[in-house]
Amino acid sequence: MADEITEQDMANAIRALAMDAVQKANSGHPGMPMGMADVATVLFNRFLKFDPAEPGWADRDRFVLSAGHGSMLLYSLLHLTGYEAVTLDQLRNFRQLGSLTPGHPEYGHTPGVETTTGPLGQGLTTAVGMALGERLLNARFGDLVDHRTYVIAGDGCLMEGISHEAISLAGHLRLGKLIVLWDDNEITIDGGTDLSVSDNQGDRFAAQGWHVQRVDGHDPEAIAVAIELAQASEEPSLIACRTVIGYGAPNKQGTSATHGAPLGDAEIAAARETLGWPYPPFEIPQPIRKLWLKAGRKGARARAAWEKALGEAPAATRTAFEAALSGKLPAAFAEQMAAYKAELAAKAPRVATRKASQMALEVINGAIVETVGGSADLTGSNNTKTSQTLPVTADDFSGRYIYYGVREHGMAAVMNGLALHGGVIPYGGTFLVFTDYARPAIRLSALMGLRVIYVMTHDSIGLGEDGPTHQPVEHLAALRAIPNLAVYRPADAMETAECWEAALQSDSMPSVIALSRQDLTAYRTEVPTENLCARGAYELRAADGDAKVTLIASGSEVELVCEARDRLQQAGIPTRVVSMPSWEAFERQSDAYRRDTLRPDTLRIAVEAATMLGWERYVGDTGVTIGMTAFGASAPYKELYNHFGLTVEAIVEAAKSRLG
Ligand SMILES: Cc1ncc(C[n+]2csc(CCOP(=O)(O)OP(=O)(O)O)c2C)c(N)n1
Ligand SMILES: [Mg+2]
């Protein structure tokens, strides 16, 4: 048998595993793996540079299954090529609790899965970030970083709006080592794509600077030729692979019936007949298995050669490369931040926190060469650029600043790709209100536990005249609701430095740093002995006397509560102030610390220029929340604070009336 085995047989192994695993799980998506089995076989068998023995090899090609519902395609490939952890039993346990084979691929869960996919379009855009990461590191380390990024995307990925941002940015930056294999099967869940889309995708990609080819996705030689041409292209490549969804299932193929449901025993039996695959479920004949394992071993030599090259590289290069890939912050960073904070304590600058963020970044970018900044066309407002960060262009990837353009969603997903690629620490800015435009990718940063830092300025009605379209109200609450996402809202320059430091130190969590447009008084004027913001909340002002009231605020409203505290003290009501830049960090503190900070024995009043949803937990049943209950308005910001009742007087009055 060995001599006659073809890639068609190898592809049929994927088809069989996919239809059998979906049938056993009684849920899942057999159509896409069966349709793209030939394309994937050619890619993994002939082209992809990878080594199942070392899934983390830094110079491996990246493979992203953007059409994440086709997860059985990826799991079959990982199993067949020899990723040890992905056993046949794991395939048998497809979609079961605790298995390595969840419904959609999850990064950090299954070796060989490069990114979490399932929300259509995210994988494609994340892959743009990976391809960009490759170029950035290549500019720093030369041939040590020289790999490609391959994507399998479906009709759905290309319909999603984010695909426009992804394709446009990749074309603009001429990411020639990015190759997208489009599963052009003309089917989505509702039926034929003609129900909902008439785009000429080839023309669309070409118009955005891509190299475009069309092939029969069931013709291995045609696929191979197309991949070779794509590899040679200096532009990113789209290969439209015309396929039949559910290929091999004689009665259902070519229809949406194969998209997301088990084929059923009868159709599976018929498919076995059609494909010439007489073997029982989950059984792969040895000769076919051998060929697949051979495909999995072919990268070992390339990896050995790469490791040798790394070993022979100049010591300084090797050290820098390993330091970059480790993701650890350099020792000098803490010292330089300490010096900067001492300077802040002495100078007590009254600046907007967005400005303070830039001041901190000037130190950070000087100390950490891995940071790569950017903004979605608001560089001068977000203050994300510093003296060290020169622009990244299609002709020169040695810079550290990305002009993401007006593409918030794309920026966030690209930053995920940069973080996943490794070797860089991405941060990027827009207005806090537009986190809504980036939210699906922010959610994935959190789900994957990636160190991506979102610099979100203009964080409240405090931005003033631009009005309610630009004034976030519900955004802090919405972001705080995302698990594993640290949301920071610093109150002054010192807190901003501390929040940046905490964000950089959390290497398995993304952070949002919400920053003011308006200038804020410096309240932290002592040289800190610990990072108080990393505690989430802390006592900023003690009460004179036995505290009756605790005023809690974040960001710009700390100013209000500090003034209110002084008035209450003058009125004979001992009052303390708690600054609370991060709920998430606070929740991680000990019970004792939280109790001592919140002081439930006092009247607690929380103030924030945002919806107060959730603050009840910190003020208790008898406490008071003062915030926004409606959208903002267009006016100078001080007038807005008065108009919406966010005033020192309102806070003082609330305390007095409650204390009777
Ligand atoms: C953002 C998003 N919206 C909707 C879905 C639900 N969904 C999963 S697959 C799919 C259809 C995708 O069609 P296509 O990419 O052509 O996949 P095929 O049916 O060809 O496998 C949809 C709507 C999703 N996963 N993500
Ligand atoms: Mg489709």
Side-chain angles (χ1 to χ4, degrees):
M1 187 180 179
D3 290 348
E4 307 141 28
I5 295 173
T6 61
E7 280 177 326
Q8 176 79 33
D9 299 308
M10 294 170 79
N12 284 342
I14 296 175
R15 294 189 171 100
L17 288 173
M19 63 185 183
D20 289 337
V22 171
Q23 189 66 28
K24 183 156 189 300
N26 198 26
S27 77
H29 303 78
M32 186 274 186
M34 295 177 80
M36 282 299 275
D38 296 310
V39 173
T41 299
V42 171
L43 176 63
F44 274 66
N45 190 38
R46 302 197 207 180
F47 295 99
L48 195 74
K49 181 173 79 170
F50 71 113
D51 185 352
E54 185 49 69
W57 171 23
D59 198 36
R60 70 194 181 279
D61 286 343
R62 305 306 197 263
F63 171 72
V64 172
L65 186 73
S66 190
H69 57 279
S71 57
M72 266 312 299
L73 177 74
L74 182 50
Y75 300 147
S76 302
L77 289 162
L78 296 177
H79 168 70
L80 290 167
T81 55
Y83 285 79
E84 217 169 273
V86 188
T87 59
L88 260 187
D89 270 347
Q90 293 294 344
L91 301 190
R92 285 196 190 94
N93 277 319
F94 180 48
R95 293 183 152 239
Q96 305 309 306
L97 190 64
S99 77
L100 290 181
T101 49
H104 293 83
E106 294 178 27
Y107 170 75
H109 186 78
T110 314
V113 171
E114 300 280 9
T115 179
T116 297
T117 52
L120 299 173
Q122 291 291 333
L124 172 64
T125 317
T126 302
V128 172
M130 293 176 182
L132 176 55
E134 191 269 351
R135 286 293 83 197
L136 296 176
L137 288 204
N138 174 270
R140 256 190 94 185
F141 299 109
D143 291 345
L144 279 178
V145 185
D146 180 14
H147 54 263
R148 296 193 161 80
T149 305
Y150 295 93
V151 181
I152 287 183
D155 302 301
C157 292
L158 300 197
M159 271 196 260
E160 288 292 348
I162 193 174
S163 76
H164 173 82
E165 300 179 24
I167 297 163
S168 171
L169 188 61
H172 174 71
L173 290 173
R174 240 179 292 132
L175 299 176
K177 293 167 88 176
L178 174 64
I179 298 177
V180 174
L181 301 149
W182 167 32
D183 180 13
D184 178 16
N185 62 16
E186 300 183 295
I187 290 289
T188 62
I189 291 179
D190 277 356
T193 47
D194 57 358
L195 287 171
S196 56
V197 65
S198 308
D199 299 358
N200 183 328
Q201 293 289 9
D203 284 359
R204 178 167 83 113
F205 276 76
Q208 307 212 49
W210 285 57
H211 175 258
V212 175
Q213 303 174 79
R214 290 175 190 79
V215 294
D216 173 352
H218 300 296
D219 178 346
E221 295 316 314
I223 296 162
V225 169
I227 294 176
E228 272 170 21
L229 288 172
Q231 288 187 341
S233 160
E234 292 193 350
E235 296 154 346
S237 277
L238 174 75
I239 305 176
C241 307
R242 177 51 57 84
T243 63
V244 176
I245 189 169
Y247 183 94
N251 306 301
K252 293 190 173 178
Q253 68 176 20
T255 74
S256 57
T258 66
H259 165 90
L263 295 178
D265 289 332
E267 183 69 2
I268 288 177
R272 283 193 144 73
E273 191 81 8
T274 307
L275 294 169
W277 189 268
Y279 317 105
F282 300 105
E283 192 177 307
I284 310 292
Q286 272 311 317
I288 296 177
R289 184 173 283 287
K290 260 171 112 173
L291 263 194
W292 265 119
L293 288 174
K294 197 173 148 205
R297 276 196 306 270
K298 73 180 188 312
R301 194 181 300 167
R303 177 163 74 92
W306 180 85
E307 276 167 0
K308 186 156 172 280
L310 178 63
E312 288 168 359
T317 307
R318 203 169 63 233
T319 311
F321 181 77
E322 283 168 352
L325 269 289
S326 79
K328 296 209 176 78
L329 305 177
F333 170 63
E335 288 160 32
Q336 293 180 22
M337 283 302 279
Y340 169 63
K341 287 187 279 188
E343 190 187 317
L344 285 180
K347 291 189 180 154
R350 182 179 157 79
V351 291
T353 48
R354 63 174 172 147
K355 176 67 188 161
S357 169
Q358 188 175 40
M359 289 155 54
L361 271 172
E362 190 66 37
V363 179
I364 291 162
N365 289 340
I368 307 174
V369 292
E370 285 78 22
T371 51
V372 173
S375 165
D377 201 44
L378 288 168
T379 295
S381 299
N382 303 142
N383 292 341
T384 34
K385 201 165 182 312
T386 64
S387 65
Q388 304 89 348
T389 55
L390 299 177
V392 170
T393 69
D395 299 316
D396 183 0
F397 288 91
S398 68
R400 290 168 60 190
Y401 196 81
I402 297 158
Y403 287 104
Y404 285 104
V406 192
R407 303 184 185 96
E408 296 83 9
H409 198 182
M411 173 175 73
V414 165
M415 289 202 290
N416 285 342
L418 288 170
L420 284 163
H421 182 277
V424 292
I425 302 174
Y427 71 85
T430 182
F431 291 152
L432 182 63
V433 78
F434 299 135
T435 50
D436 283 342
Y437 273 55
R439 190 173 172 88
I442 297 176
R443 183 171 193 272
L444 281 181
S445 316
L447 180 58
M448 290 192 269
L450 302 178
R451 178 169 49 188
V452 172
I453 302 174
Y454 296 94
V455 183
M456 297 295 159
T457 69
H458 297 60
D459 69 351
S460 74
I461 52 167
L463 66 85
E465 292 85 344
D466 273 345
T469 55
H470 284 53
Q471 291 161 352
V473 172
E474 73 281 22
H475 299 75
L476 289 168
L479 290 165
R480 286 169 180 152
I482 298 180
N484 199 45
L485 172 68
V487 179
Y488 295 100
R489 189 164 183 255
D492 68 1
M494 185 74 80
E495 280 202 0
T496 306
E498 288 186 342
C499 290
W500 260 109
E501 210 170 8
L504 285 161
Q505 281 163 351
S506 338
D507 59 5
S508 55
M509 194 189 291
S511 300
V512 170
I513 309 182
L515 300 160
S516 76
R517 174 177 184 263
Q518 72 274 33
D519 288 345
L520 300 174
T521 303
Y523 283 95
R524 291 277 305 284
T525 52
E526 280 174 27
V527 180
T529 52
E530 73 161 300
N531 185 333
L532 293 171
C533 289
R535 293 261 195 188
Y538 63 95
E539 185 179 83
L540 176 65
R541 288 275 183 277
D544 268 344
D546 191 10
K548 293 268 182 302
V549 178
T550 298
L551 301 177
I552 313 168
S554 82
S556 42
E557 286 68 66
V558 167
E559 241 179 33
L560 287 183
V561 296
C562 281
E563 281 181 40
R565 176 219 172 252
D566 292 347
R567 296 247 198 114
L568 287 166
Q569 284 286 160
Q570 281 158 19
I573 303 172
T575 302
R576 53 198 286 278
V577 166
V578 168
S579 175
M580 192 163 198
S582 172
W583 290 14
E584 186 281 331
F586 187 63
E587 293 298 329
R588 280 186 277 126
Q589 304 306 308
S590 69
D591 288 350
Y593 180 83
R594 285 186 291 157
R595 196 176 49 243
D596 292 350
T597 304
L598 292 177
R599 289 283 303 272
D601 57 314
T602 59
L603 168 67
R604 287 171 287 167
I605 301 177
V607 186
E608 193 171 60
T611 179
M612 295 307 281
L613 184 73
W615 274 104
E616 307 82 14
R617 80 175 75 172
Y618 298 122
V619 300
D621 288 345
T622 52
V624 181
T625 61
I626 299 176
M628 295 290 290
T629 52
F631 292 116
S634 170
Y637 84 88
K638 285 184 180 158
E639 283 177 38
L640 291 175
Y641 271 82
N642 289 332
H643 178 74
F644 289 105
L646 281 153
T647 60
V648 174
E649 293 70 31
I651 300 164
V652 170
E653 196 39 52
K656 284 185 177 167
S657 68
R658 285 298 163 118
L659 290 176

